[in-house]
Amino acid sequence: MFIKNWMLANQYSISSNALATEAILLLREHNLRMLPVVDDGRLRGLLLRRDLSEAAQCVTGSGDICEMNYFCNKLKVKDLMIRNPVTISVNDTVEQTLVKGKETTMSNFPVMDGDEVVGLVSDREIFVTLFKILEAGNKERTRITLADVTLKEGTLSEILSIVDAQQATARAIFTVAEDKSDKVRVVVRYESEDPGLVFRALEDRGYTILEMTS
């Protein structure tokens, strides 16, 4: 899955010399969590709504008139932005993005096409992607998870044939690696008037059922 098909397309940016108050208005108006900071068409930084909010809370909490005046009239985007932020390419995959997030402990990335910022990705976009993959909230479909499965030629085909034999309609099948093991968990999503038939059939064939949900 390429990140370009799951990212939030970038429509807004801000100059590093803009006031922080301008950034706050832009973020609020368009319900954004971050803004790429662009000067003369070049990415200079990344401004997070979280950092702006923390700065604003510090000022309002202190009640100092001078600090409030500085925040409103002098504090600039470049004073709060993340300089030279870690970026990802428009041709990177969602998996590569997750790996980079783990390696860098970052959860917000500008998406680049060459030197141009074309999108943004945060943990929110990844969450939405996972939500769609798992079809969360779809109560018509049952999810069954098999544990300790050894993958070999024909394993997944066999599982699907068992589902089909119970007059159930398979919607998706995917694997999840087990920790410190060469075995996997297999998750199957399917539709059936009697979901328990699939459960019993898989169990009869020797599969270990970890869970079944709908």
Side-chain angles (χ1 to χ4, degrees):
M1 300 188 299
F2 290 105
I3 204 67
K4 62 186 175 184
N5 298 320
W6 303 93
M7 69 184 185
L8 176 67
N10 183 54
Q11 296 176 300
Y12 308 99
S13 62
I14 196 164
S15 165
S16 63
N17 283 315
L19 291 173
T21 49
E22 295 177 53
I24 290 176
L25 292 175
L26 188 59
L27 288 164
R28 286 178 177 172
E29 181 180 357
H30 301 288
N31 192 30
L32 302 173
R33 298 177 68 185
M34 54 182 162
L35 275 173
V37 182
V38 178
D39 292 334
D40 300 322
R42 186 174 178 180
L43 179 68
R44 296 294 186 183
L46 185 66
L47 183 65
L48 303 182
R49 183 170 185 166
R50 177 195 63 207
D51 294 338
L52 272 170
S53 297
E54 288 178 356
Q57 288 174 4
C58 287
V59 171
T60 54
S62 70
D64 188 290
I65 299 298
C66 293
E67 288 187 3
M68 294 179 68
N69 180 64
Y70 180 82
F71 181 86
C72 294
N73 300 302
K74 294 185 179 181
L75 186 66
K76 294 187 176 182
V77 166
K78 63 184 177 184
D79 298 320
L80 294 171
M81 71 182 188
I82 300 170
R83 296 177 181 273
N84 302 314
V86 178
T87 64
I88 56 176
S89 166
V90 70
N91 293 315
D92 284 343
T93 64
V94 172
E95 292 85 351
Q96 287 172 317
T97 303
L98 288 170
V99 170
K100 184 170 284 189
K102 182 179 180 180
E103 291 175 345
T104 63
T105 67
M106 302 292 292
S107 58
N108 301 283
F109 299 102
V111 183
M112 309 297 293
D113 187 357
D115 293 330
E116 181 183 1
V117 184
V118 294
L120 299 168
V121 169
S122 69
D123 48 2
R124 178 167 62 180
E125 282 68 52
I126 299 298
F127 177 85
V128 170
T129 300
L130 183 61
F131 187 93
K132 291 178 179 179
I133 291 173
L134 295 178
E135 295 184 317
N138 192 324
K139 297 181 180 180
E140 296 178 358
R141 293 173 188 170
T142 300
R143 297 162 188 81
I144 195 164
T145 303
L146 312 178
D148 299 323
V149 177
T150 300
L151 282 183
K152 55 186 178 181
E153 185 177 349
T155 299
L156 298 184
S157 297
E158 179 185 73
I159 293 170
L160 289 175
S161 69
I162 295 171
V163 174
D164 291 340
Q166 311 312 309
Q167 284 73 55
T169 302
R171 302 293 302 190
I173 184 170
F174 59 93
T175 63
V176 180
E178 295 273 17
D179 291 337
K180 300 179 181 179
S181 172
D182 56 355
K183 296 185 178 183
V184 300
R185 295 180 181 181
V186 178
V187 181
V188 185
R189 285 204 315 274
Y190 62 94
E191 294 178 352
S192 174
E193 292 183 1
D194 186 355
L197 288 176
V198 174
F199 182 103
R200 291 187 289 273
L202 287 166
E203 202 170 42
D204 289 344
R205 292 290 288 273
Y207 287 100
T208 300
I209 312 298
L210 180 65
E211 59 187 14
M212 186 174 78
T213 59
S214 59

